[in-house]
Amino acid sequence: VSDATERTRWWGWGAEEGRPRLGPAGAALVARELALDGGSDARAPAPPALGSVNLPESALPLEAARRLEARLGPGGVRTDRLARVARAAGKSYPDLVRLRSGEAPAAPDAVLVPTSPEGVASILEVCSELGVAVVPFGGGTSVVGGVTPRREGFAAAVSLDLGGLSGKVEVDRRSLTARVGPGTLGAVAEAELGAHGLTLGHFPQSYELATVGGFVATRSAGQASTGYGRIEDRVLGLTCATPSGELSVAPVPASAAGPSLRELVVGSEGILGVITGLTLAVEPAPEVRHYEGWSFRSFAEGVEALRVLTQAGAAPEVARLSDEEETRLSKGLAATGSSADLAGRAYLSLRGHAAGALAILGWEGESRVAARRRSRAARMLRAAGGLALGGGPGRSWARNRYAAPYLRDELMDMGALVDTLETATSWSGLLALHAGVSTAVRAALAGRGATPVVGCHVSHLYGSGASLYFTMLARAEPGREIEQWSAAKQAAGEAIVAHRATITHHHGVGCDHRRWMEAEVGPLGLEMLRSAKARLDPGGVMNPGKILPVSGEPGS
Amino acid sequence: VSDATERTRWWGWGAEEGRPRLGPAGAALVARELALDGGSDARAPAPPALGSVNLPESALPLEAARRLEARLGPGGVRTDRLARVARAAGKSYPDLVRLRSGEAPAAPDAVLVPTSPEGVASILEVCSELGVAVVPFGGGTSVVGGVTPRREGFAAAVSLDLGGLSGKVEVDRRSLTARVGPGTLGAVAEAELGAHGLTLGHFPQSYELATVGGFVATRSAGQASTGYGRIEDRVLGLTCATPSGELSVAPVPASAAGPSLRELVVGSEGILGVITGLTLAVEPAPEVRHYEGWSFRSFAEGVEALRVLTQAGAAPEVARLSDEEETRLSKGLAATGSSADLAGRAYLSLRGHAAGALAILGWEGESRVAARRRSRAARMLRAAGGLALGGGPGRSWARNRYAAPYLRDELMDMGALVDTLETATSWSGLLALHAGVSTAVRAALAGRGATPVVGCHVSHLYGSGASLYFTMLARAEPGREIEQWSAAKQAAGEAIVAHRATITHHHGVGCDHRRWMEAEVGPLGLEMLRSAKARLDPGGVMNPGKILPVSGEPGS
C-alpha cells in the first residue's frame, strides 16, 4: 500500500469521502471569532490541480536511476507527477499553504518503493555512493517538516516510501508482543491486533494515515498515552538500516547492557537510518472504553485535579483538559441551540462553571476494573471541584477524535491560519508555561493585525508533569501566510525555551524545531547527535536538514 | 561521606556489627549440600590484614598529583593504603577471592575526592591531559568488575570517589521530583525522601551501600521494580561531566526532541563521563507494605500465574518466584524444626506442593487500594493453582531482603564458591532459558568435580517477559577459585546468548560481560558506543576496559 498517501488529498488531509465538517453554524462562529472577511459566505477556493503544480524536473542522476531500478525492480523507482507531489511535503500549515498555491519546489526527484529490508539497504548503499539525499517517508503526516526533501548540497533527493514494508503483523500472544512492518498504517496495525484481541494503545491524531514506523521515528504519543504510555514505552526491538550497515536491537523486556541504542534510533527521524523492523509490546484489547466529561471552574482548578489524580495512581487512559478559551470555542462549535443544550448551559452557569474548563477522561480495560477505577477517580475529582457531565461529551469527543486535521482544510478554505504546537513541563511549571506561550502567540498574531483565538489543552499526564497542546487560529494574511505563521511559531518557541520546557512533546523536531535544539540538548548534546550521524551516515545523505541545526541557526 | 566504603569490609560486604548470619543449622545444611570439606566445623579463615595486602607503589605521576591537589584542595587526593585497597575492586566473587588472598594489584594509584561538579570537571581535564585513567566510584558494589581500575596502556589510574557529591536531596513536592547528588547512598536518599513522605521505590540488594549515581550509571533495577519501574524510568534530568565538557539533559516529563541522550548516559558505567547531578521522579511513600508468600506446585505453574497477573495489570510491587531448587534450599535454611514448621510442611505436602515453588509478592501503596489489588490478584493466583501462605514468608523475606551478600562472606569462609547472575527474556522463552542456563552452570561446575546447587528466581515482571536471577553454590577449588568461577560464568553467558536473552538485566556489563556485548548489540552497535566514547572522551581515560570488548574478545 505504498500509495496510501496518494489516495488522500495531497494538498490537505485525508480522503475526499465522508469528511468531518464544521457545519454552517460552526463556520459562522469561527468567521465571527476571527473576523474573517466574507465569513461563512466566502466561497472556498478550488483545490489545486495536480497538472498545474509547479514541479521541477526530476534531477535524479541517470546512473542512480539505472542502479536503483536494477535493485528495486519495475515500479520500484517512480518519477510520475502524483508520486512526487504527494511526497513534496508533510502536513504542517506552511506545507499546506505552499501546496495549495501550487508550489512543490522541494518535491523529491523520485519516489523509491522497496519491498524488503534488503531493498532499503540497497537504496542507502546506492544513494550514499552517488550523493543522493534520502528522505524516509511513512504516512507523510509530519507537521514539523520532517519529510520535506532538502538537498543540502546534494544534487538530488529521493523519498523512500515504506509502504512496501507492511506485511502481516506477527503476534506472540504469550509474551504480548507483535512484530510490525514499519510501513503499516497505525489503523491497519490496530485492526490486525484487534483480531487477536490485542491493542497497541497508540492513537495519535494522525492514527488513520500515519505509519507505525513513523510513530517510532518521531517519538509519538497517542491520545491514550496517559494509560498506554508513549511509543518508546512500547518498542522492545528494532532493526534500522543505515549507510554503514544494520543496527539491530534484540527484543528483550529490559536490559542493563550499557547505554540504550534503541533510544538512539527512536526519535531519530530518519537522520541516522531507516527503521525496517519493529517488535512492540502490546496489550489485551480493553473490554470497555468509557469516555466522559468533567467540568472545572477554571483551567488551574482542572490542572490541580489531574495532578492529584495522576500522582495517586488514579489517572485514566485518556485525559484531556481544555483551558477556558478552548472550552468556550468547543462549546460554541458543539452548540445546537436545542433545549437540552440550553439546559446544560444553565446548569453549568448555576454551578459557577459558565466560563469553566472542560475535561474528557477515558477509562479503558477490563470492565469491572475500569468501573472501580472510575469511581475512585470520581470521588477525587469531585473533591477537587470537578462536576461530572456524564458520557455525552465523552462520546462527542470520541466521535471527533481524529477530525481536527480535516477541519483544518475547511478553515484554510475560509481564509484562516490554523496551527497547533505542543510542549511539556513539570506540574510546578505548567500554569506559567501555559500563560507564557498563550500570551506570546496571541501577541505575535495580534501584533500583525489579526484577532487570534489561542486555546490549549493538557493531554498527556505524567507523575512529574504534563504536556500542553496549543491551537492557534487567526485570519490568514493573504500572500504572507508563511511570514505570519513564522512570527507566531517563533514567539511560541521562544516562550517555551524561556520556561525551560521541551520544544516538542510528540510532534518531533523536523525542520521547524531545529533552531531550538541547542537550547534543548546543549552544544555537547548536539555534537553527540552529529557524531552518531557521522558514524552511521558518513556521506550525510540521510534526511538532511532535519533535527540538526543548519547554517545560520543556533548550534549550527 | 567519601569514606562510607572504608567503614565496611573492604574484602567483603557491609559493616562488622549486626551482620545477618546463616546460623549453625543453616551452615550445616549448606556444608552437606555442597559436600564441603570439614562441614560446619571448619574454622573460618582470618580476615586479611590491611598492612599485609600486596599493594603496588602509587604510580600517579608527580605532575598529576600536584595539579590535582591544587584543584581539589587538601584531602582531595588520597594515596593512603586504606583508600586505595578499599577501591581496588568491586564486590564480585572473583573480586573477593583476590582481596581475601591479600592481592590488590589493580588498586588505584590515588583516590580523588571532589566536592562539586566543578571538581569533577577539573579531574577529567587534568587526567585527560596527562593520560591517567579515571574510574568513577560510587558505593563500589559492582559485581561485574565495573569499578576495578584497569590501566589499558595508561601509566596510572585513579578512582574518582563521588562521596563528596551527596548534598541534601531537594524536593519539588508538587511535581514529585527530587534532585539528588549522585554520591548519595540509596538508603540515605530514601531516608531523606521519607521525611517528605516520598519514596524513590528503588531497593536493589546493594541498597544500603550503593549510590544513586551508581544506580543510574549501571541501569539498576530494585526489588520493587515490578511496581516502581527500573532506575531509567525515574531519571528525568541529569548532568554528566565528560572530558569534552558537560552533557546536560533538562528534567522534562517527556520529549520528542530527537534521540534520547539521557538514555545514552544511563547505563554508560563511567566510560563516557561522570554523572554529577540527577533529577529523579519520586512517588508518595506507601501507606502500607504487605509482603506475603504463595506456593505453586512447580516453577512453571508459578511463572504462568505471574504472567497472567502481570498482563492483566494486576502485578504487585514486589514479585519474586523461586524455582524448585531455590525453594528447597530456602525452606531448608528457614526450617526451625518447630511444630509450626512441621505442620506447614505437612500442609504443603498434602496439597501437592511438597517440592513446589515459593513466591513472595509485595503490595505497596494506599492502604485501601493495595488491599483491593491484593484481593483481585489473590483470585487470579488461586485460579492459577497458587496456595496462599500468608504474611509469614513475606515478613521473613523482608527481614532478610539485603542479607544475601553478607551471607556470601560467611559461605566463602566455609570454602564455598557463591555467585549470582541474571538475565531477562520474553515469557515465551523464559522456561527454556531457565533450563538452559541452569543446566549449563550445573554441568560446568559438576564437570570440575563439585556438587553444585543452582537455584533461580524470577524477580522483575514486565508485560512482555521477566528476569531470571540465578544463584550458584559449589565447593570452591582452593587456589583455583577464579578458574572454577570463570568456567561457570562462561557456560552461563553462552547459554544466555544461545537463547537470545540479554546478558544482563540489572548487574551491568563492567569487565565480566564485555565479551558478550557484540552478541548483545551487534558489531555496528558496538561501533556506535565506541564513537560516542571517542567524541566525549577522545583520550580514552574514562573507565577503560568496561563495557567495550578489549583485545582478544569478540567485537574488539
Side-chain angles (χ1 to χ4, degrees):
Chain A
V1 294
S2 75
D3 60 344
T5 302
E6 298 167 23
R7 285 187 271 101
T8 58
R9 289 183 168 185
W10 51 264
W11 71 93
W13 190 266
E16 293 302 331
E17 297 305 310
R19 302 174 65 79
R21 306 274 307 169
L22 272 175
L29 173 76
V30 172
R32 209 160 52 237
E33 289 272 343
L34 305 183
L36 296 182
D37 307 322
S40 59
D41 296 333
R43 198 140 51 97
L50 181 63
S52 65
V53 169
N54 186 6
L55 180 71
E57 281 289 301
S58 169
L60 187 68
L62 266 179
E63 190 191 348
R66 194 182 48 73
R67 285 175 58 183
L68 288 165
E69 271 161 14
R71 301 288 192 102
L72 300 175
V77 182
R78 293 179 56 191
T79 53
D80 57 285
R81 181 165 273 264
L82 178 56
R84 294 178 60 209
V85 170
R87 290 165 188 84
K91 302 295 183 189
S92 72
Y93 173 75
D95 286 339
L96 302 191
V97 166
R98 286 189 200 98
L99 289 170
R100 278 164 168 259
S101 70
E103 294 297 328
D109 295 292
V111 175
L112 309 181
V113 192
T115 54
S116 67
E118 294 70 33
V120 174
S122 293
I123 292 169
L124 302 196
E125 184 194 323
V126 171
C127 290
S128 284
E129 203 179 316
L130 301 179
V132 173
V134 179
V135 183
F137 192 99
T141 59
S142 172
V143 288
V144 293
V147 293
T148 309
R150 291 181 58 102
R151 271 71 181 172
E152 299 291 329
F154 295 108
V158 293
S159 284
L160 190 166
D161 192 293
L162 285 151
L165 274 71
S166 55
K168 207 166 153 50
V169 171
E170 291 170 36
V171 165
D172 174 352
R173 188 66 180 72
R174 171 165 294 267
S175 305
L176 287 186
T177 63
R179 290 180 58 185
V180 183
T184 311
L185 294 178
V188 170
E190 189 64 21
E192 286 200 43
L193 289 170
H196 292 271
L198 301 172
T199 180
L200 184 58
H202 199 78
F203 307 100
Q205 204 163 60
S206 59
Y207 165 76
E208 302 165 309
L209 307 180
T211 60
V212 176
F215 296 161
V216 175
T218 61
R219 285 191 183 273
S220 164
Q223 292 166 349
S225 82
T226 300
Y228 295 96
R230 301 167 57 86
I231 198 69
E232 59 260 41
D233 302 321
R234 307 238 141 247
V235 179
L236 296 168
L238 55 80
T239 51
C240 178
T242 82
S244 299
E246 184 177 89
L247 205 56
S248 175
V249 176
V252 292
S255 173
S260 172
L261 295 166
R262 186 190 67 219
E263 289 281 345
L264 193 69
V265 174
V266 176
S268 61
E269 299 186 17
I271 72 168
L272 304 179
V274 181
I275 295 167
T276 52
L278 284 167
T279 303
L280 304 173
V282 297
E283 301 281 333
E287 276 175 26
V288 289
R289 289 196 164 96
H290 182 92
Y291 304 133
E292 62 190 6
W294 284 80
S295 176
F296 295 92
R297 270 173 297 257
S298 68
F299 182 60
E301 187 183 70
V303 165
E304 183 61 9
L306 292 185
R307 179 183 75 80
V308 169
L309 207 63
T310 306
Q311 296 184 344
E317 273 63 39
V318 174
R320 179 191 160 108
L321 169 72
S322 297
D323 68 0
E324 294 87 351
E325 185 74 342
E326 189 172 281
T327 300
R328 186 181 66 77
L329 195 70
S330 68
K331 280 185 187 163
L333 289 173
T336 58
S338 71
S339 56
D341 181 54
L342 293 170
R345 283 168 193 246
Y347 173 70
L348 286 176
S349 180
L350 203 65
R351 305 285 292 262
H353 288 242
L358 175 69
I360 301 296
L361 305 184
W363 306 93
E364 306 190 359
E366 277 184 46
S367 160
R368 278 196 310 180
V369 176
R372 210 180 300 126
R373 289 171 54 220
R374 191 155 72 89
S375 83
R376 178 182 175 220
R379 283 193 297 277
M380 300 176 72
L381 291 167
R382 275 194 204 97
L387 197 61
L389 303 180
R395 283 189 293 275
S396 166
W397 172 81
R399 217 166 27 242
N400 297 307
R401 63 192 289 182
Y402 308 119
Y406 295 95
L407 301 184
R408 178 176 57 168
D409 283 2
E410 192 178 349
L411 291 165
M412 289 180 72
D413 287 346
M414 290 166 59
L417 170 158
V418 47
D419 196 23
T420 63
L421 60 93
E422 31 74 73
T423 175
T425 195
S426 67
W427 290 109
S428 293
L430 204 68
L431 292 180
L433 176 65
H434 174 254
V437 176
S438 301
T439 303
V441 172
R442 274 195 197 103
L445 290 168
R448 297 179 65 107
T451 312
V453 172
V454 179
C456 178
H457 58 256
V458 165
S459 49
H460 307 265
L461 311 183
Y462 303 87
S464 65
S467 71
L468 290 177
Y469 188 95
F470 293 89
T471 301
M472 58 173 99
L473 295 165
R475 186 182 64 235
E477 297 177 30
R480 304 176 64 178
E481 291 91 347
I482 308 272
E483 287 155 76
Q484 181 192 24
W485 169 82
S486 290
K489 183 76 182 170
Q490 183 67 28
E494 286 173 8
I496 287 169
V497 167
H499 284 81
R500 297 167 185 242
T502 181
I503 194 65
T504 173
H505 169 269
H506 62 268
H507 280 173
V509 182
C511 296
D512 296 350
H513 294 142
R514 256 178 357 213
R515 70 195 114 152
W516 291 293
M517 275 300 281
E518 188 184 31
E520 183 85 21
V521 303
L524 190 56
L526 275 182
E527 284 310 308
M528 288 308 295
L529 297 178
R530 285 205 177 90
S531 103
K533 181 169 173 66
R535 180 63 191 80
L536 293 176
D537 174 28
V541 298
M542 294 309 307
N543 213 7
K546 312 301 154 39
I547 298 185
L548 298 168
V550 299
S551 176
E553 291 173 344
S556 65
Chain B
V1 290
S2 73
D3 59 345
T5 301
E6 297 166 25
R7 285 187 272 101
T8 58
R9 287 183 170 185
W10 52 263
W11 70 93
W13 190 266
E16 292 303 329
E17 297 305 311
R19 302 175 64 80
R21 304 276 306 170
L22 273 174
L29 173 76
V30 172
R32 209 161 50 236
E33 289 274 343
L34 306 183
L36 295 182
D37 306 323
S40 59
D41 296 333
R43 198 144 47 101
L50 180 64
S52 64
V53 170
N54 185 6
L55 179 71
E57 282 289 299
S58 169
L60 187 67
L62 266 180
E63 190 191 348
R66 195 183 45 74
R67 285 175 59 183
L68 288 165
E69 271 162 14
R71 300 286 191 103
L72 300 174
V77 182
R78 294 179 56 190
T79 52
D80 57 284
R81 181 165 271 264
L82 177 56
R84 292 179 60 208
V85 170
R87 290 165 188 85
K91 302 295 183 188
S92 73
Y93 173 74
D95 285 340
L96 302 191
V97 166
R98 285 189 201 96
L99 289 170
R100 279 166 167 259
S101 69
E103 293 298 325
D109 295 290
V111 175
L112 309 181
V113 192
T115 54
S116 67
E118 294 69 33
V120 174
S122 292
I123 291 168
L124 303 195
E125 186 195 321
V126 170
C127 290
S128 284
E129 205 180 314
L130 302 180
V132 173
V134 179
V135 184
F137 192 100
T141 60
S142 173
V143 288
V144 292
V147 294
T148 309
R150 290 182 60 102
R151 271 72 180 173
E152 300 292 328
F154 295 108
V158 293
S159 283
L160 190 165
D161 191 293
L162 284 151
L165 273 71
S166 57
K168 208 170 153 45
V169 172
E170 291 171 36
V171 165
D172 173 352
R173 189 64 181 75
R174 170 165 295 266
S175 305
L176 287 185
T177 63
R179 290 178 58 186
V180 183
T184 311
L185 293 178
V188 170
E190 189 64 20
E192 286 201 41
L193 288 170
H196 292 272
L198 300 172
T199 180
L200 183 58
H202 199 77
F203 307 100
Q205 202 162 62
S206 59
Y207 164 76
E208 303 165 309
L209 306 181
T211 60
V212 176
F215 296 161
V216 175
T218 60
R219 286 192 181 273
S220 163
Q223 292 166 349
S225 82
T226 299
Y228 295 95
R230 300 166 58 85
I231 198 69
E232 58 260 42
D233 302 322
R234 307 239 140 246
V235 178
L236 296 168
L238 55 79
T239 51
C240 178
T242 82
S244 298
E246 185 178 88
L247 205 56
S248 174
V249 176
V252 292
S255 174
S260 172
L261 295 167
R262 186 191 66 218
E263 289 282 345
L264 194 68
V265 174
V266 176
S268 61
E269 300 186 17
I271 72 168
L272 304 179
V274 181
I275 295 168
T276 53
L278 285 166
T279 303
L280 303 173
V282 296
E283 301 282 332
E287 276 175 27
V288 289
R289 288 197 165 96
H290 183 93
Y291 304 133
E292 63 190 7
W294 283 81
S295 175
F296 296 91
R297 269 173 296 258
S298 68
F299 183 59
E301 186 183 70
V303 165
E304 183 63 8
L306 292 186
R307 180 184 74 81
V308 169
L309 208 62
T310 307
Q311 295 184 345
E317 274 62 38
V318 173
R320 179 190 160 108
L321 168 73
S322 296
D323 68 2
E324 293 86 350
E325 185 74 342
E326 189 174 280
T327 300
R328 186 182 66 77
L329 195 69
S330 67
K331 279 186 189 162
L333 288 174
T336 58
S338 70
S339 57
D341 181 54
L342 292 171
R345 282 166 191 248
Y347 173 69
L348 286 176
S349 182
L350 204 65
R351 304 286 293 263
H353 288 242
L358 175 69
I360 300 296
L361 305 184
W363 306 92
E364 306 191 358
E366 278 183 44
S367 161
R368 279 195 308 180
V369 176
R372 211 182 295 125
R373 289 171 55 220
R374 191 155 72 88
S375 82
R376 177 181 175 221
R379 283 192 298 275
M380 300 175 72
L381 291 167
R382 275 195 204 96
L387 196 61
L389 303 180
R395 283 189 294 275
S396 165
W397 173 81
R399 217 166 26 242
N400 296 309
R401 63 191 290 184
Y402 308 120
Y406 295 93
L407 301 184
R408 179 177 54 169
D409 284 2
E410 191 176 350
L411 290 165
M412 289 180 71
D413 287 347
M414 290 168 59
L417 171 158
V418 47
D419 196 23
T420 64
L421 59 92
E422 31 76 72
T423 175
T425 195
S426 67
W427 290 109
S428 295
L430 204 69
L431 292 180
L433 177 65
H434 174 253
V437 176
S438 302
T439 303
V441 172
R442 273 195 198 104
L445 290 167
R448 298 180 62 107
T451 311
V453 172
V454 179
C456 177
H457 57 258
V458 165
S459 49
H460 306 265
L461 311 182
Y462 304 87
S464 63
S467 70
L468 290 177
Y469 188 96
F470 294 88
T471 301
M472 58 173 98
L473 295 165
R475 186 183 63 238
E477 297 176 28
R480 303 177 65 179
E481 292 91 347
I482 308 270
E483 287 155 75
Q484 181 191 24
W485 168 82
S486 288
K489 183 76 183 169
Q490 182 67 27
E494 284 173 9
I496 287 170
V497 165
H499 283 81
R500 296 168 187 244
T502 181
I503 194 64
T504 173
H505 169 268
H506 62 268
H507 280 174
V509 182
C511 297
D512 296 349
H513 294 142
R514 256 177 357 210
R515 69 195 115 150
W516 291 293
M517 275 300 280
E518 187 183 32
E520 182 86 23
V521 303
L524 190 55
L526 275 182
E527 284 309 310
M528 288 308 295
L529 297 178
R530 285 204 177 90
S531 103
K533 181 167 173 68
R535 180 62 192 80
L536 293 175
D537 174 28
V541 296
M542 294 309 307
N543 213 8
K546 312 301 156 39
I547 298 184
L548 298 168
V550 298
S551 177
E553 291 173 343
S556 65

